[in-house]
Amino acid sequence: MIYNDIDFDTYFKNYPDKNGYFGKYGGSYVSPELQAAMDEITEAYFTICKSSKFISELRRIRKEFQGRPTPISHLERLSGSIGNVQLYVKREDLNHSGAHKLNHCMGEALLAKYMGKTKVIAETGAGQHGVALATAAAYFGLKCDIYMGAVDIKKQAPNVARMKILGANVIEVTEGLQTLKEAVDAAFEAYSKEYKDAIYCIGSVLGPHPFPVMVRDFQSVVGIEAREQFIGMTGELPDAIVACVGGGSNAAGFFSGFLNDPVDIYGIEPLGRGPKLGDHAASLKYGTEGIMHGFNSIMLKDDQGNPAPVYSCASGLDYPSSGPEHAFLHDLGRVKYDVVGDDDAIDAFYALSRMEGIIPAIESSHAVAYGIKLAKELGRGSVLINLSGRGDKDMDYVIEKYGMR
């Protein structure tokens, strides 16, 4: 399929280029010392990803440990309450540890073992990446440091406990807004001092090259499975697919299975409390080109051009930029990026829970809310939503903040 002069038949061969650019987005903007570490990771990844031994081991782990493939569920009751459009969800909440994050964490930890590293370092917002990496570290016998903002530690107490039970060292970050951006800052600083013995396992499709492409590749299993499963269930492709986008790991993997198909693709960012700067984290909707955390993308900026303060009820989405591939697909128009606010996300959280018996993560609830909205607009057809994680971690926060609905 040709879209805006881009041939999606050969898209994955051409993007990113050898320097990690998706068009003008991506690259690696780090110190010379850290660039040497990035080059080491790049060389190791592009060697190991072609190894039949590595691929075989990762496939075995996905089947025997993660419980893949995860299923697709037809939301029959929720669909019937809306109209004639049929809603489906890809059940990444059933992936071991409760979200899509383990897909790339097992790959990154396996890469760390290949490179002879003894420790993994990461940031986390909602805690799902932290739990997944702590799980992978326990599986492979690696030390694990997880940096997490103080605000998110309070919001995501169940996941903090899980990380600690799994043996991870959870390090509280008290600078700035004490959320995801500050956790990334702290993790990068720690990695710059420990890169000889450790690997920084970035939790999304962002950061310096090769992380955006590496995480996307590990997450592509979601899109590959979903496409095959949906055709097997219905005999056709969905009319539209939807995923939430913060940094964008679940969406990048999910979208990758459908980019070359005649399917409408929607990436949903958090509008939070509204469009005022500081009240949302919708970088693709309201941001401009800029560099942070070692990569060039579209980001939200303050008056001085620095990363702006952001907010979302979903801790995993409150980041002031988005992965460079999402910025590229946004500019191409191949993916339509839109927004959902806190209230609509919480309404969808309860709707899916009570009508289908599935408690979604608040992050995923943004995609569910938009899927419901889209179904009402389409009138007929089918919509496949990536349910990127389960909502056990969010229940206490939702009840305390929003009450029972």
Side-chain angles (χ1 to χ4, degrees):
M1 182 175 74
I2 306 293
Y3 197 95
N4 274 359
D5 297 326
I6 301 295
D7 185 353
F8 280 92
D9 280 331
T10 57
Y11 174 80
F12 296 107
K13 290 183 178 180
N14 296 325
Y15 298 98
D17 66 17
K18 65 180 181 179
N19 295 315
Y21 283 95
F22 299 86
K24 62 182 178 180
Y25 302 113
S28 182
Y29 298 81
V30 296
S31 67
E33 194 172 37
L34 265 185
Q35 187 57 54
M38 292 299 110
D39 292 342
E40 180 191 16
I41 294 171
T42 300
E43 181 67 22
Y45 173 65
F46 284 104
T47 299
I48 201 173
C49 75
K50 301 299 183 182
S51 163
S52 61
K53 182 179 179 181
F54 177 84
I55 294 167
S56 176
E57 176 66 3
L58 194 57
R59 286 175 175 172
R60 184 192 66 79
I61 289 168
R62 285 172 173 170
K63 179 180 179 181
E64 299 178 7
F65 183 69
Q66 292 184 229
R68 303 205 68 89
T70 58
I72 285 178
S73 295
H74 179 204
L75 306 182
E76 189 171 357
R77 291 191 65 232
L78 184 58
S79 301
S81 71
I82 297 168
N84 294 323
V85 174
Q86 299 304 302
L87 296 173
Y88 297 80
V89 285
K90 174 63 170 165
R91 300 292 304 279
E92 289 303 288
D93 60 313
L94 298 180
N95 193 32
H96 179 51
S97 78
H100 70 289
K101 295 292 187 180
L102 196 61
N103 299 330
H104 67 256
C105 284
M106 294 304 289
E108 288 175 325
L110 187 56
L111 178 64
K113 291 288 285 189
Y114 171 83
M115 296 175 67
K117 306 297 185 181
T118 59
K119 185 178 186 179
V120 289
I121 296 172
E123 82 299 326
T124 194
Q128 287 299 146
H129 176 59
V131 168
L133 191 61
T135 300
Y139 183 91
F140 288 107
L142 299 166
K143 297 176 183 177
C144 181
D145 284 352
I146 303 295
Y147 290 81
M148 190 172 189
V151 169
D152 293 335
I153 284 178
K154 183 178 180 181
K155 285 172 65 177
Q156 305 293 345
N159 273 348
V160 175
R162 292 171 75 194
M163 286 183 269
K164 291 180 178 179
I165 288 171
L166 288 162
N169 179 28
V170 181
I171 301 163
E172 184 176 22
V173 179
T174 57
E175 286 77 22
L177 294 178
Q178 305 177 9
T179 56
L180 182 56
K181 186 263 179 186
E182 289 75 26
V184 176
D185 290 340
F188 256 112
E189 183 178 355
Y191 177 60
S192 69
K193 300 172 183 176
E194 301 184 64
Y195 64 86
K196 291 183 180 179
D197 300 314
I199 185 172
Y200 182 17
C201 297
I202 291 178
S204 195
V205 286
L206 43 78
H209 180 62
F211 285 99
V213 63
M214 185 166 71
V215 173
R216 181 201 71 190
D217 289 351
F218 286 138
Q219 287 295 341
S220 65
V221 64
V222 181
I224 292 168
E225 285 180 6
R227 187 181 188 280
E228 180 180 346
Q229 290 168 325
F230 195 89
I231 292 173
M233 290 176 72
T234 68
E236 60 186 11
L237 291 164
D239 292 287
I241 64 170
V242 183
C244 64
V245 177
S249 57
N250 90 91
F254 186 49
F255 295 167
S256 69
F258 298 89
L259 284 175
N260 199 34
D261 292 319
V263 172
D264 291 333
I265 304 177
Y266 296 88
I268 309 308
E269 296 188 291
L271 185 60
R273 295 180 291 250
K276 181 181 176 182
L277 191 66
D279 282 348
H280 63 84
S283 56
L284 295 169
K285 179 78 171 180
Y286 297 108
T288 56
E289 185 178 354
I291 297 169
M292 65 177 290
H293 292 150
F295 69 106
N296 183 46
S297 187
I298 298 175
M299 61 181 277
L300 295 166
K301 303 175 185 177
D302 62 18
D303 292 339
Q304 286 74 47
N306 298 314
V310 293
Y311 161 80
S312 170
C313 64
S315 296
L317 302 181
D318 58 356
Y319 186 72
S321 186
S322 188
E325 186 171 18
H326 286 296
F328 182 56
L329 294 170
H330 168 271
D331 285 3
L332 286 177
R334 177 64 188 97
V335 178
K336 302 174 181 68
Y337 292 90
D338 210 337
V339 294
V340 160
D342 284 2
D343 288 340
D344 288 341
I346 298 302
D347 285 345
F349 174 92
Y350 278 115
L352 188 63
S353 299
R354 292 175 174 173
M355 299 194 75
E356 297 290 348
I358 301 170
I359 302 175
I362 301 179
E363 291 77 17
S364 311
S365 299
H366 285 71
V368 174
Y370 197 83
I372 292 170
K373 175 178 178 287
L374 190 60
K376 292 176 180 178
E377 293 173 354
L378 290 176
R380 64 179 65 182
S382 59
V383 177
L384 175 60
I385 302 161
N386 194 30
L387 195 70
S388 56
R390 68 179 181 230
D392 305 45
K393 66 184 179 61
D394 297 315
M395 293 187 296
D396 291 344
Y397 170 75
V398 169
I399 292 170
E400 178 183 348
K401 177 77 173 177
Y402 299 95
M404 288 292 186
R405 294 192 177 182

